[in-house]
Amino acid sequence: MTDASAPRPGLSAIFEPKSVAVVGASADPSRIGGRPIAYALRAGFKGRIYPVNPNREEIQGLKAYPSLDAIPDEIDFVLLAIPAKAVPAALAAAAAKGARGAVLFTAGFAEVGAEGAAMQAELVATARAHGIRLLGPNCLGMFNTEVGHTPTFTSGLESGMPLPGRVGLVTQSGAYGTHLLSMARDRRIGVKVWVSTGNEADVTAPECIEYLVKSDSVDVIGAYMEGVNDREALFRALAAARAARKPVVMMKVGSSAIGAEAAASHTASLAGSDASFDAALRRFGVLRARTTEEMLDVLYAASISPLPRGRKLAVVTVSGGAGVLMSDAAEEYGLEMPALPQDAQDRILARNPLAAARNPVDLTATVLNDFPIVTEGLQALEEAGGGYDMTAAFFTSWTASPVVGPKLRAAILAGLPGGVTTPFAMICQGGPEVNDAYEPDGMMIFEDPSRAIRALAALATLGEGFARAEAEEADPEPLPELPEGFALPAHALSEREAKALIASAGIPVPQETLAATPEQAAEAAAALGGPCVLKIVSPDIAHKTEVGGVALNVSGGPAMLAAAQAMLASVAAHAPDARIEGLLVGPMISGGVELIVGARRDPVMGPVVLIGLGGVFTEVLRDVAVRLAPVTRSEARAALNSLRGAALLHGARGAQPVDLDAAADAISRLSVIAAANPDGFDSLEINPLLARPDGVVALDALLTPLTAEETPA
Amino acid sequence: MTDASAPRPGLSAIFEPKSVAVVGASADPSRIGGRPIAYALRAGFKGRIYPVNPNREEIQGLKAYPSLDAIPDEIDFVLLAIPAKAVPAALAAAAAKGARGAVLFTAGFAEVGAEGAAMQAELVATARAHGIRLLGPNCLGMFNTEVGHTPTFTSGLESGMPLPGRVGLVTQSGAYGTHLLSMARDRRIGVKVWVSTGNEADVTAPECIEYLVKSDSVDVIGAYMEGVNDREALFRALAAARAARKPVVMMKVGSSAIGAEAAASHTASLAGSDASFDAALRRFGVLRARTTEEMLDVLYAASISPLPRGRKLAVVTVSGGAGVLMSDAAEEYGLEMPALPQDAQDRILARNPLAAARNPVDLTATVLNDFPIVTEGLQALEEAGGGYDMTAAFFTSWTASPVVGPKLRAAILAGLPGGVTTPFAMICQGGPEVNDAYEPDGMMIFEDPSRAIRALAALATLGEGFARAEAEEADPEPLPELPEGFALPAHALSEREAKALIASAGIPVPQETLAATPEQAAEAAAALGGPCVLKIVSPDIAHKTEVGGVALNVSGGPAMLAAAQAMLASVAAHAPDARIEGLLVGPMISGGVELIVGARRDPVMGPVVLIGLGGVFTEVLRDVAVRLAPVTRSEARAALNSLRGAALLHGARGAQPVDLDAAADAISRLSVIAAANPDGFDSLEINPLLARPDGVVALDALLTPLTAEETPA
């Protein structure tokens, strides 16, 4: 028996065993216990298969054994197609034979309630005690065509093994994973490894992703996710993928759940878990696909094409309409379409006066009579200072024509003498022969122009993620440092205390005076001169305005005296039990742009920062950016610029631009506080952080501690 | 010769001739002059075909004639595959034989410049003089499989005639239209009629749409548009489609041109022509597709399915993941997913305790062992008070299984004893056999769940358009009436005059006094009491703020005297040549929500209204709604509610809701002014229209007349 707390073995026994026992093996290749054997035989499994069935001598041409004990050799992996109650004994027997991996198809565990969950916990304990990694239960298994290992009953292999290729697919839904598998075949994606993780009692989807990152036979990874329980494992897997420069395309369902979380508090609802999930994927350069089709298109593209260095798109077309359509799509998906340099335009027009040469480059149907126009057009693009990062070329049904097709292909290849070095999408028609004619040279085939542009834009996003990784690895940007001994208290803070806290971390706050009495407040106002702000100070009052605890634009001692007296009376009436620590007097600071900057502990993704413009932008338009904490100043700046209302920061409507560096610095500092205390707070919000041309200042701050049930044990 | 100004004959000679002459006929079925004949023979053209070629006795098995004159019979239609210079004589000869329709493939006319345009104009004059309707030039022709008429050289028929069906396709791009045709075949759309309109020298795309609306053999119309020259023809066609309840799905490219119109004025850039195009399509209930795939999905759906009465979606699934995915998509595409009534949920759970019964209804894989669960689940949905308008049902690859497929189909049909009465989308896998198994019963087949939901939402939008049409036909909402003799002047108006004008049309304005001198202004301010606004009045000053021509919050006579004197000095300095008509004194009105409401003459779509929230919403976020003028009050109200910032009107952030009825009334009145003067103004803008809980008031108004070159001759 293995110590349950010891490091768990890796997944190679699950993904690439040399010998497999199938307990509950069936002679019928359509049954759950029969399919995995039939598939393995078809896939040419390179190891040994031991069907276990007490009632048969032979199963699907293989010698069968009455029990695991009866198998004469060691086994690496055991497939369990048996009732739940028989599983513990089978695991023990498998372990005795040396097994380190197992898959359990059976349903009826944690997904059906408390009793099933208890059974599942027991199962995991048994597996761990025996040093066995367990895939499932309630899953459809997996396959790895590299070694022909197919412990799965998915119907996705019924029509044959996947196309050759180097894509790995991880799915948390067996049924939808099967659907994906069929769609992937139609999309010409070669799925090398597929794994459905079911209840994830032991092996999780992030672990499988990490395994695929390390696998030599997989280059591109797709994942269909429904939820994540272990963020550290997810981050580890995605960081590994990024370090290995393996593109990951992920679909995460459940985004509309945000809408249902109506009762959540203000910041909570904005930083809801879907936005935090997005933030995590952004951090690691993962491409989040919104639809199945998008995921498959991007997997297809990434498995064929190099990644681009930028977003400059050249469009070549033989239909003006398709050129316009692709220009629209380029704008929608954030690609740039700079015009060709004038000399390149001149060259194209000299050759073909009917052409449009700006970009899109419309070579027109004249090409049909003069294919070198294509070659020369592509050369003109290539030689245009190397300015384009990718090409979309519309040739409609010409590719499929027996007469025109080969001429076109030759003309295109002649136009790319150095081969495909930047993404090249052909938008055209035809069957698998057309794919076979272009894909081996690195050209992608699409039928719908909009889908081609979307995929090119996705490649650009993946390329940007890797470029960021490269830059960070070469020259990591330092994070702001917190002062020695900086700590977040575990209790609520008054505004004054919260401001002092963030000030100590380097975030500018106004110079304020804490007055004990209205008279002291009046003195402070007189000393400050000019208009002042007066606020109540109490650890028990989170929303000061609601109790009459804020007075703006109070000028001079007498006015301040009156305002302070009125405030104390109002607060006493509205919040009679609140502990009053005093009255805060500060200068009235106005103008600039109000930001809301919050740090929050997401229950799934941990500490995140939330950045928005104040007022209607956050409250009505939900125009916020969420990022995993910590963020560097550059990341904070990029997040600010990603807001729909970012123009306001750059001086829209005649205003002066605000000090973006100062804003980014404050955000970065707040994010460092949050990251240093991942389980130590609920939220820490600066609202507003006033951004002005000459800097920023936090006009209010609020620390909300964890509630009792959130506090980690 | 026909009088060129007489009403032009209809398009039946083009779409359904009984006899066709092909001038430039080729014996080679792959050549431009050969393909149309080969296609017609394959399509079983019901009329007679007369190849014209002086060098051959026989062409593709048909007797050939040396010239049009030599044809012994009357002909209805002539196809011209000959050089441009031979066309006029051929048209004359065709007319002499009775032809009333012609198609001209030849390029090199208006699309290549002024000389070509002159040739094209001559061509049209010739055709009109002979009473012939002309399709093209520079087009790929058309086909109508109802009669086997195929005067086209599109390669889209090379692989065979289209599938049977009742969809009509109109395309302004021949090459892209051909691409569409191939994609339509893959999408299982039966294209009955296809027409590419090329240069539209005579016959236009809108006319073709109108023809298809009147055709008995077409039920659903798709259109690929690049531009519109004749808005009246477009409106007529779309109104006819709406009256006939024939769904129209349109793709219009060139939307990114808006981005390029950077130099346009403020309102102009917002009401750019793409937004106006959108407004036109909305008016007539046309579904605008953003991608080719979307257009084809919606054409497919509309050609199979009934339209829904509302947006309530029931999701049935055998995979929990797919259910969540479709719920996400439903939210994205604006469909509602109300929960099943409790008794229906109880019924489903009693039958299958593993199910999820709320909506999505997850029947789980248990179904594989117990197909009546599907039947009973569908019945429970159906009997749930008739609450659902449409169903999406995910059955993955089961449909394609030889064993499971037939059982599943029987179970589904048993669950729909009344047949398909509301849209029913199957999300599943399989080839044409699966389509054939479900489509004849009115069920749609999709593989991608998100695409299925998008198509269902599009059907809902089409259904809403027809429901609005029905309501308007039954009980048309009256438009506000303008006073007798109301007229827009053809010259610029001062603010005071513009306000007087809109006030006479029933739009509330503040009570203001025109003062001739600072002293009179002071008197007016004293009489009004309270804070006042002072503005310069001049027909020569459009932007008053820029010349110091606006003073806010001026209280009392002495302050007003000073402000007025300062203003006159400032205006004299900044705009020394401006004619000053006086000083306008009015009450300072604040609070509420500022709207921008403008009427504008779109160069393509005519008068439109533009509605937005003031400030950052319009200037930074471009959050505006554009509608064709006139709009009823209900339409104006719906436009206001369509704004992203609409929550502000309903009392966001603790404010009182504004008087939406009053705002809608003002918008409707402005739109009536615009519609009554389609070519009489450039723009008429109210900025701001202040909307408050107790009504609206136009705080400023500006009429911009047409420039000289815009004025219709």
Side-chain angles (χ1 to χ4, degrees), chain A residues 349-533:
Chain A
L349 291 170
R351 185 63 175 78
N352 177 12
L354 290 177
R358 205 172 175 278
N359 188 18
V361 176
D362 182 6
L363 300 174
T364 77
T366 310
V367 169
L368 279 176
N369 302 319
D370 187 0
F371 280 96
I373 286 178
V374 172
T375 305
E376 293 168 38
L378 291 177
Q379 283 170 350
L381 275 175
E382 175 68 23
E383 289 157 20
Y388 293 101
D389 301 307
M390 57 185 99
T391 308
F394 180 85
F395 288 109
T396 184
S397 61
W398 299 4
T399 41
S401 155
V403 179
V404 170
K407 291 184 199 166
L408 176 65
R409 180 170 175 275
I412 290 171
L413 290 176
L416 303 168
V420 168
T421 55
T422 57
F424 194 102
M426 292 279 295
I427 299 95
C428 61
Q429 288 172 338
E433 321 77 49
V434 172
N435 292 74
D436 289 339
Y438 290 93
E439 289 169 355
D441 287 308
M443 287 178 254
M444 302 168 270
I445 301 290
F446 290 87
E447 194 173 24
D448 184 311
S450 307
R451 282 173 65 178
I453 302 297
R454 182 178 63 183
L456 286 169
L459 291 183
T461 301
L462 287 168
E464 285 162 357
F466 290 163
R468 276 200 310 273
E470 208 163 295
E472 285 168 25
E473 289 162 14
D475 183 15
E477 180 181 341
L479 288 165
E481 282 180 29
L482 297 181
E484 195 79 30
F486 182 93
L488 273 190
H491 53 85
L493 297 182
S494 70
E495 173 185 346
R496 191 181 59 89
E497 292 166 333
K499 277 182 177 163
L501 182 85
I502 61 173
S504 78
I507 298 173
V509 300
Q511 281 211 317
E512 293 170 327
T513 306
L514 181 65
T517 62
E519 290 72 21
Q520 284 184 16
E523 274 172 42
L528 269 170
C532 292
V533 182

Side-chain angles (χ1 to χ4, degrees), chain A residues 169-323:
Chain A
L169 273 185
V170 178
T171 170
Q172 290 187 317
S173 164
Y176 204 70
T178 295
H179 198 71
L180 275 177
L181 207 48
S182 300
M183 289 181 76
R185 171 187 292 272
D186 293 345
R187 193 62 193 92
R188 301 266 305 178
I189 295 171
V191 179
K192 175 79 80 175
V193 180
W194 177 91
V195 54
S196 87
T197 55
N199 285 8
E200 303 197 350
D202 175 30
V203 174
T204 64
E207 279 184 285
C208 293
I209 293 173
E210 193 176 7
Y211 171 82
L212 295 178
V213 169
K214 292 177 182 157
S215 162
D216 287 337
S217 55
V218 166
D219 294 335
V220 182
I221 299 165
Y224 170 87
M225 304 290 288
E226 297 179 351
V228 172
N229 293 319
D230 181 354
R231 72 165 175 260
E232 293 306 330
L234 181 70
F235 292 177
R236 204 165 50 234
L238 300 183
R242 188 174 188 240
R245 308 286 191 265
K246 287 199 183 180
V248 178
V249 185
M250 194 175 280
M251 200 171 168
K252 160 72 168 62
V253 297
S255 60
S256 60
I258 295 178
E261 292 170 2
S265 75
H266 174 214
T267 310
S269 66
L270 294 171
S273 60
D274 197 72
S276 299
F277 201 96
D278 251 3
L281 300 195
R282 172 187 301 268
R283 159 67 53 89
F284 296 104
V286 172
L287 197 289
R288 181 166 183 183
R290 294 286 162 181
T291 70
T292 313
E293 176 180 276
E294 184 185 1
M295 170 153 119
L296 295 176
D297 273 353
V298 182
L299 287 174
Y300 166 80
S303 66
I304 288 182
S305 172
L307 296 181
R309 293 175 308 260
R311 296 195 158 255
K312 293 200 190 69
L313 169 72
V315 169
V316 178
T317 180
V318 294
S319 153

Side-chain angles (χ1 to χ4, degrees), chain B residues 169-224:
Chain B
L169 274 185
V170 177
T171 169
Q172 289 187 319
S173 165
Y176 204 71
T178 295
H179 198 70
L180 274 177
L181 208 46
S182 299
M183 288 181 76
R185 172 188 290 273
D186 293 346
R187 193 60 192 94
R188 299 267 305 181
I189 295 171
V191 179
K192 175 79 80 175
V193 179
W194 177 90
V195 55
S196 88
T197 56
N199 286 8
E200 302 196 351
D202 176 29
V203 174
T204 64
E207 280 184 284
C208 292
I209 293 172
E210 193 176 7
Y211 171 81
L212 295 177
V213 169
K214 291 177 183 158
S215 162
D216 288 338
S217 55
V218 167
D219 294 335
V220 182
I221 299 165
Y224 169 88

Side-chain angles (χ1 to χ4, degrees), chain A residues 112 155 158 173 175-176 178-180 182-183 186 224 226 251-257 259 290-294 318-322 324-325 327-328 331-333 354 394 396-397 401 427-429 447-451 614-617 619-621 623 644-648 652-653, chain B residues 112 155 158 173 175-176 178-180 182-183 186 224 226 251-257 259 290-294 318-322 324-325 327-328 331-333 354 394 396-397 401 427-429 447-451 614-617 619-621 623 644-648 652-653:
Chain A
V112 295
S155 62
E158 267 182 348
S173 164
Y176 204 70
T178 295
H179 198 71
L180 275 177
S182 300
M183 289 181 76
D186 293 345
Y224 170 87
E226 297 179 351
M251 200 171 168
K252 160 72 168 62
V253 297
S255 60
S256 60
R290 294 286 162 181
T291 70
T292 313
E293 176 180 276
E294 184 185 1
V318 294
S319 153
V324 178
L325 200 169
S327 306
D328 289 353
E331 184 175 280
E332 180 177 349
Y333 293 112
L354 290 177
F394 180 85
T396 184
S397 61
S401 155
I427 299 95
C428 61
Q429 288 172 338
E447 194 173 24
D448 184 311
S450 307
R451 282 173 65 178
V616 295
F617 282 94
E619 291 179 30
V620 176
L621 299 168
D623 179 21
R644 275 185 277 152
L648 285 184
R653 313 183 75 209
Chain B
V112 296
S155 62
E158 266 182 348
S173 165
Y176 204 71
T178 295
H179 198 70
L180 274 177
S182 299
M183 288 181 76
D186 293 346
Y224 169 88
E226 298 179 349
M251 202 173 166
K252 161 72 168 61
V253 298
S255 59
S256 60
R290 294 286 163 180
T291 69
T292 313
E293 176 180 276
E294 183 185 1
V318 294
S319 152
V324 178
L325 201 168
S327 306
D328 289 353
E331 183 175 279
E332 180 178 349
Y333 292 113
L354 290 176
F394 181 85
T396 184
S397 61
S401 155
I427 298 97
C428 61
Q429 289 172 337
E447 195 174 23
D448 184 312
S450 307
R451 281 172 66 178
V616 294
F617 282 93
E619 292 179 30
V620 175
L621 299 168
D623 179 21
R644 275 186 276 151
L648 284 185
R653 312 182 77 209

Side-chain angles (χ1 to χ4, degrees), chain B residues 271-296:
Chain B
S273 58
D274 196 73
S276 300
F277 200 95
D278 252 2
L281 299 195
R282 172 187 301 269
R283 159 66 54 89
F284 295 104
V286 172
L287 196 287
R288 181 166 183 184
R290 294 286 163 180
T291 69
T292 313
E293 176 180 276
E294 183 185 1
M295 171 154 118
L296 295 175

